[in-house]
Each structure stands twice: as C-alpha cells, then as structure tokens.
Amino acid sequence: MKKFQLLLTAIIAVTLMTSCGGSGKEKAETITGAGATFPQPFYNKIFKNYSSEKGLVVTYGGIGSGGGIRSLKDEIVDFGASDAFLDDKKLAEMPGEVLHIPTCLGAVVAAYNLPGKPELKFTPELMEGVFMGKITKWNDAKITAVNPDIELPDLAITVVHRSDGSGTTFIFSDYMSKVSADWKEIVGTGKSLLWPVGLGAKGNPGVAGTISQTEGAIGYIGSEYAFAQDIPVASLQNLAGNFIKPSVESVSASAKGEIPADTRVSLTNTDAVDGYPISSFTWLIIYKEQDYKNRSLDQAVQTIKLIEWVIGSDAQKETTKVHYAPLPEAAAAKAKAVLSAVTYKGKSLK
Amino acid sequence: MNTSTQISNARLKGRLLKDKLFTYMLIFLAFLSSVPLFLILFELIKKGYKQINISFFYKVAPDTMEAMVAVTNNEVIPGGIANGIVGTLIIVGMASLIAIPLGIICGMYLAENSKGNFAGVVRFIVDMLQGVPSIVLGVIGYIWIVKPITGGFSGLAGSVALSIMMLPSIVRSTEETLKMIPDTLKEAALSLGVPYHKTMLRVVLPSGISGILSGVILGISRIAGETAPLMLTALGSAAISTDITEPSSAIPLLIWEFYNDPNLVDMIWSASLFLLFLILCLNLTAKAIAKRWKVQY
C-alpha cells in the first residue's frame, strides 16, 4: 500500500509540474495552424525548418480544408489552410475579414495502372468519357485515336475516386466542369460528389493504393503521391492544344496569367501555353485584423513573420523537393501585397 | 454377458466419443479466437521491426523529405515518435487523473447502495456513457474545452474527452469488485468502532485494489489507441510538447499522419507495433498486479 501511495503522489506531482508551464502568454511560443492535407508534406517540412531556425514551434494539423476553414471561423488557430478559396458567400459568414495567401502550387494527375507502363496522352474529351463511364475499355477507338503509337490491351477501365470529402476532388471536378458541359450538368463541382461510375477509396493514399493494386485502374490523385510511388500519369491536352506532362515547371507555368489582387483564382484549364491544366494554388487563410480572441501583439507579429517566410525564397526552394511547384514571382509579389494589409488593433504591422 | 450390458457399453462408448469430440472442438474454437492477435502481431513485427532502433524512442517524427531520401536510398527512415510518446503519456496521464478518482468514488457508491433508486439511475447513465461513440466525445471536447477554455487545440481538451471515455469501465469494475468483498469484513471494522469513511478507505478499498486496478489499466489501454477524439482536440504537433494548453501529438495521431504521407508508410507499422506493445505491457501489468495484491479471505 505504501508503495502504491508513493507512486500515486509521484504521478500527480509530475503532471502538476508539467501543466504549470502554460501560464503567461505575452510572448508567442507556438503558432498553430490547421487545414488541408494536400500540402501537408510541404508544410511539415518547412515548419520544422522554421522551428529549428527561429526556435518557435509551429504546429500544423492536417484535418482537411473544411476543418481549416472551421477552425479559423471558431478563432482557435493562428492560420487556416485550404485548397479551395472561400467564395463570397463563405467570406461573408466569417466573423472578420479573411485574407488568402497562396503558398505553393500543386497538381492533380490522372494516374493509371496498365501492363508495360505506357505513357498515355489524354484530351479533355477522353477525361470526360473515362470518368463518366462513357468509355469502358482501354482499347476503345477514342483512346487509340489519341495514342496511335501505343498498343492498348482489351481491358476494362476501373475508375477510382475519393470516397471522403477532399480538396483534391474539388480541384479535379473544377477542371472537369470547365471542360465538359455534361460533367457540369450531371456531376458538378465540389468536395464530395455523386459519382456516375467507379470505386471509392479513402484519402490520396487510398486511391493511390487501389490504383497500384488494380490492373486497368485510373484515378485522380495529388501529384506528389503519384511521383513518390512512381505511378504512371497521363499527359493532358491544355487549352492551347499542347499535351502537357505534369511537372514542377508545367504546374508553375499554369499560374503565369493574371492573378487578382486578393489571389482568389482558379487555375484549372489555364490558358498558359505550357501550363498543366489541373493545377491549383493552395492557400493559408488568416484574419486581416489580428487582434481576436485575446491574441497578443507578439503572437500576431510572429504569425505574419512566419507567413512572410513561407512565401520567401528560403521556403519556396523546398517546394520542388517534395513535388510541389513554387509560386511564380508575380504570385509571390501579390501574396506579399496581401500580407501587408494585415493590422493589429487597426494599426498596420508593417 | 447379456445383450443389455452390451448395448449400454456401446452407448457409453458413443457418449465418451461425443464428449471427447466436443472438448476438442471447444479447445480448437478457443484457439481460433486467439489467432487474429497472433496474425496482427506477426504482420506488425514483419513490417515494423526495421524502424525500431534507439532513435525511434527519442527523436521526433521525420518529415517527408528525410523519409523520401531514405526510402529512395533503401535506408531506414531517420527519426522516431518521441513527440507521440510524450504526448500520449501526458494526455493519457491527465485523463487518468480525472477519471480514476471520479470512477472509483462512483463505483464505491454503486457497490454500497446497490438497491437504491438513485443508484439504479446512476448505473443506467454510466452504461449509456459507455455507448457514446468516441468521435462524439471529440466533438464534446472541442465544444467544452477547445473553444471556450484553451482557445485553441490542446492536450488538455484531449485528456477531458478521453477521461469521459474511460470513466464507465472504472466505475463498473470498481462496483463489481467491491460487491464481491464479504460484508463480514466491513462489519468487523465497524464493530471495532472504526468510522465509516475509514472503513471504506482503509479496509474495503485496499481489499479490492487488485480488481479496481485491473479495471483502471484496461480503461487506460482502451483510450491509449483512440484517434478520432484527439484529431478534434489535441490536433498533433511536430515538436515534443509538455504544455497541456498547447496542441500535442500522440502515437495514434502520428500513425494517422504517417498514413497521409506516401513517404512515411514504413513508420505506420513501427508506430503501430510500439502502440500495441505498450498496451500489451499495460495488460500484463494489470494481470501481475491482480495476482500479487489479491487478498484472501
């Protein structure tokens, strides 16, 4: 019994000691963000760098774009993260003015599993046909017409899509709605959709796994998953008529057009000549007025410093190493301009 | 030897055969139910042993790039799950601090007043609590702690959500254990003039300590692997965090993170193996304690 009492006292003492560290938050110790899983590998990497360089812990939780927006709305994070920008209706629902800061670009690719790993070309019409179930065989005349050099097998096409709500689905369906009237009418744009055909799988890893295990499968995944697992991906014909392979350069090129001042822009079906057509920015979202929920000035300053660093060259050069594309200069400049509008108690932080 | 004894002999043989058959079938089926555990252990050890080394226990989770370089070079992924281990220990420890006293007191009350009306209501409510899905408790932690109290994701919120989850198992195991303690023990103490509260704390509770403790440890191992409530409350952290008002990592959260990153797949198995090992150890400890502190009447 004595031993047991001693043990209990020790446990209580240790826990009380560790819990006392939390008082007095004048100085920022931790910056917390939550949201999109799509850029999470990139964020995890650069935030770890930042923590070891500046001694400030940055915590990022991949709880999905929707979760990121809700966390910011509930004012419980320093920044949210989302793959889809907030539309005007959603912006109006937020308790304060919200700013979007693009951090990098990512691509959604059509990945497939065919014997011999041929390099396929796809036109928007083929994409519509395959993903809507109009084309059911790999050796369909429509596919062979675009890929005359490749001998395609007499194999059924298995479409794989996400079963959970996701920013990846949003980007993909945003593109499909732009290139296909049928798609827009029947399936539409959104984070989770009613699919005409195919198998559902959970998360990008789930879709990637299902594709690699199913001969004849095709599905859409974030490019980093296809590259990391070495799954073949299709070249896509863009608006200018060129077949573009997804790569750091072609994804970055898709953002070469005009970007609005608030950076809320959809890049899918870009008119850039060498741009990959299913590309998208991913954004950090913050409040313009940083004085909310008892935040200290230091907390606000540190948050802005962090985001400034993310769009700066040190962090941007890490993007390509983890298969994302860096912000083009024009976009980075726009992002800086957005960030300079941030205030604390009405005063500019600049 | 007449015909009737021959018949009864034959019947007896038939019965003995049936008896044997039935016994072997029971043994076989009992064995069958333990097969999944061994299959799981085998799978986890086969896929997870590679990553288990010393740095696995004191380094924080690796990032994508470190993992990618290691995977392409066919090396062991550097880093470990120290942030998860520390987070799990703190969150589960805090949850235990909240749930153990409450659960034991409630269980004592139920055992002492097993027939009362109010006790019936309490017992019913505790049973209902047992059925609340873990994700719902996560939402509750979010609404009760994350938004109004810590103003952000925190380990504390995770502890509160998990403490509610472990409460029912402690209440019920305390009640069942104390009910088995003979009344004569209590009567002996009371008749010597020991006050009621001292009788309860010094005589009844210690007599049942082995049963209560194994209930507590089962409750702890039940919550140690919970992910859903923690995603909504503790969020996860790349650094070792000892401040309970800040986001904190935990082993199940790390497993979920590894799952989301194609380069970190190998770490899933090792972290799972470690978590399973931790929980098996807790269960064995419970068994050992129950054996050692068992009171004979």
Side-chain angles (χ1 to χ4, degrees):
Chain A
M1 267 324 289
K2 275 263 146 49
K3 264 189 203 160
F4 173 65
Q5 278 169 354
L6 206 70
L7 192 74
L8 203 70
T9 332
I11 293 173
I12 293 173
V14 167
T15 322
L16 284 181
M17 263 150 64
T18 51
S19 58
C20 283
S23 49
K25 278 202 187 158
E26 262 312 293
K27 203 138 175 57
E29 286 161 345
T30 311
I31 294 178
T32 309
T37 48
F38 179 59
Q40 194 177 7
F42 170 56
Y43 289 166
N44 281 350
K45 169 74 202 151
I46 59 167
F47 290 155
K48 199 171 175 183
N49 286 359
Y50 192 79
S51 297
S52 56
E53 268 175 41
K54 314 273 157 114
L56 187 75
V57 175
V58 183
T59 295
Y60 182 77
I63 55 172
S65 294
I69 294 169
R70 194 198 55 234
S71 300
L72 191 72
K73 193 176 182 183
D74 289 344
E75 303 184 331
I76 58 167
V77 287
D78 294 302
F79 62 86
S82 178
D83 300 326
F85 58 82
L86 280 72
D87 55 28
D88 293 342
K89 188 168 154 272
K90 274 213 188 108
L91 275 182
E93 284 168 5
M94 300 296 274
E97 194 178 333
V98 171
L99 301 176
H100 289 69
I101 295 110
T103 55
C104 69
L105 291 133
V108 176
V109 298
Y112 52 84
N113 178 352
L114 280 177
K117 294 196 171 187
E119 289 197 9
L120 290 181
K121 288 181 196 161
F122 267 65
T123 59
E125 294 73 42
L126 279 186
M127 289 293 279
E128 181 208 80
V130 167
F131 281 94
M132 289 193 76
K134 292 174 185 168
I135 301 175
T136 55
K137 286 271 185 187
W138 278 107
N139 60 354
D140 191 286
K142 284 181 192 145
I143 302 183
T144 45
V146 183
N147 299 282
D149 311 333
I150 299 165
E151 185 132 352
L152 283 158
D154 180 19
L155 193 66
I157 297 179
T158 311
V159 172
V160 188
H161 56 76
R162 291 284 287 270
S163 58
D164 50 338
S166 111
T168 315
T169 304
F170 180 87
I171 296 166
F172 180 74
S173 59
D174 182 47
Y175 167 74
M176 294 298 279
S177 294
K178 281 183 188 173
V179 297
S180 155
D182 266 13
W183 181 281
K184 198 173 180 181
E185 175 93 4
I186 298 165
V187 189
T189 307
K191 289 188 174 181
S192 49
L193 302 166
L194 270 177
W195 288 86
V197 286
L199 299 169
K202 198 175 171 313
N204 271 314
V207 176
T210 311
I211 294 172
S212 355
Q213 281 155 25
T214 318
E215 196 160 83
I218 183 166
Y220 61 93
I221 45 178
S223 56
E224 71 278 17
Y225 288 88
F227 296 143
Q229 303 188 359
D230 206 17
I231 307 172
V233 298
S235 301
L236 264 182
Q237 190 177 37
N238 67 9
L239 207 56
N242 300 325
F243 285 96
I244 307 288
K245 224 178 150 40
S247 69
V248 167
E249 293 76 26
S250 64
V251 172
S252 207
S254 67
K256 273 186 187 146
E258 195 55 42
I259 298 164
D262 64 1
T263 76
R264 293 190 300 147
V265 61
S266 159
L267 298 179
T268 53
N269 206 22
T270 174
D271 53 9
V273 184
D274 47 1
Y276 178 73
I278 322 183
S279 309
S280 172
F281 281 129
T282 179
W283 289 270
L284 294 184
I285 48 176
I286 54 169
Y287 284 114
K288 186 179 175 190
E289 172 53 59
Q290 283 288 304
D291 179 28
Y292 60 92
K293 205 81 181 258
N294 308 323
R295 278 159 66 83
S296 65
L297 177 63
D298 191 51
Q299 190 80 20
V301 170
Q302 293 299 343
T303 307
I304 302 311
K305 266 193 188 158
L306 167 75
I307 299 176
E308 237 169 12
W309 180 83
V310 169
I311 56 178
S313 57
D314 273 359
Q316 287 296 314
K317 70 169 193 269
E318 304 283 339
T319 52
T320 55
K321 295 184 191 160
V322 280
H323 303 308
Y324 297 88
L327 293 174
E329 264 171 46
K334 284 264 162 61
K336 265 197 192 114
V338 170
L339 210 51
S340 66
V342 172
T343 57
Y344 184 81
K345 289 195 201 289
K347 273 187 214 139
S348 171
L349 281 178
K350 280 280 144 186
Chain B
M1 201 180 274
N2 58 34
T3 43
S4 73
T5 47
Q6 273 178 354
I7 290 173
S8 74
N9 260 352
R11 269 199 192 150
L12 192 64
K13 263 188 188 162
R15 282 185 182 176
L16 282 175
L17 197 71
K18 263 190 213 160
D19 181 60
K20 250 189 188 150
L21 204 72
F22 199 71
T23 314
Y24 284 132
M25 204 140 97
L26 278 185
I27 292 174
F28 174 71
L29 288 178
F31 170 75
L32 209 63
S33 63
S34 64
V35 164
L37 175 70
F38 287 105
L39 285 181
I40 292 171
L41 267 178
F42 176 71
E43 190 78 19
L44 285 183
I45 291 172
K46 193 179 79 181
K47 292 189 165 159
Y49 78 94
K50 265 190 299 185
Q51 301 294 333
I52 306 271
N53 46 34
I54 299 169
S55 66
F56 186 76
F57 300 102
Y58 75 88
K59 278 193 176 160
V60 296
D63 58 53
T64 306
M65 221 143 77
E66 292 166 355
M68 200 153 66
V69 171
V71 168
T72 43
N73 294 340
N74 239 336
E75 286 166 3
V76 171
I77 299 174
I81 55 166
N83 48 342
I85 297 175
V86 172
T88 288
L89 289 183
I90 290 178
I91 290 174
V92 171
M94 287 285 301
S96 308
L97 274 188
I98 301 169
I100 292 173
L102 270 179
I104 291 180
I105 290 167
C106 186
M108 270 162 69
Y109 172 77
L110 290 183
E112 287 295 290
N113 304 278
S114 50
K115 297 224 166 61
N117 262 344
F118 182 64
V121 173
V122 170
R123 198 173 290 119
F124 178 70
I125 291 173
V126 168
D127 283 347
M128 295 273 284
L129 197 60
Q130 187 137 42
V132 177
S134 60
I135 186 76
V136 174
L137 293 176
V139 176
I140 292 297
Y142 184 82
I143 294 170
W144 284 356
I145 314 286
V146 171
K147 272 177 81 176
I149 296 182
T150 50
F153 296 104
S154 65
L156 178 69
S159 302
V160 171
L162 292 185
S163 68
I164 301 174
M165 224 181 138
M166 70 188 291
L167 205 51
S169 82
I170 297 177
V171 173
R172 292 317 294 253
S173 71
T174 306
E175 187 194 349
E176 294 306 321
T177 313
L178 293 189
K179 265 189 189 164
M180 289 199 305
I181 289 168
D183 283 341
T184 45
L185 200 69
K186 202 164 72 184
E187 281 160 11
L190 289 171
S191 65
L192 286 174
V194 181
Y196 179 68
H197 73 273
K198 272 199 177 162
T199 309
M200 289 307 291
L201 289 177
R202 294 284 169 83
V203 179
V204 176
L205 214 51
S207 313
I209 199 78
S210 68
I212 296 173
L213 262 187
S214 47
V216 165
I217 292 182
L218 284 180
I220 291 175
S221 41
R222 171 96 195 76
I223 60 166
E226 272 303 329
T227 323
L230 294 183
M231 284 168 80
L232 295 178
T233 50
L235 190 69
S237 167
I240 294 175
S241 157
T242 50
D243 183 347
I244 57 163
T245 62
E246 295 290 350
S248 169
S249 194
I251 302 171
L253 282 178
L254 278 181
I255 295 176
W256 169 245
E257 253 172 53
F258 295 152
Y259 172 80
N260 276 317
D261 193 325
N263 299 295
L264 286 168
V265 176
D266 281 356
M267 294 292 285
I268 297 175
W269 303 106
S270 310
S272 306
L273 180 62
F274 178 73
L275 188 61
L276 192 69
F277 182 71
L278 197 74
I279 289 168
L280 282 183
C281 280
L282 274 176
N283 277 319
L284 290 180
T285 318
K287 285 255 186 306
I289 288 174
K291 217 175 200 174
R292 196 147 167 245
W293 286 352
K294 195 161 202 165
V295 178
Q296 299 288 339
Y297 309 113

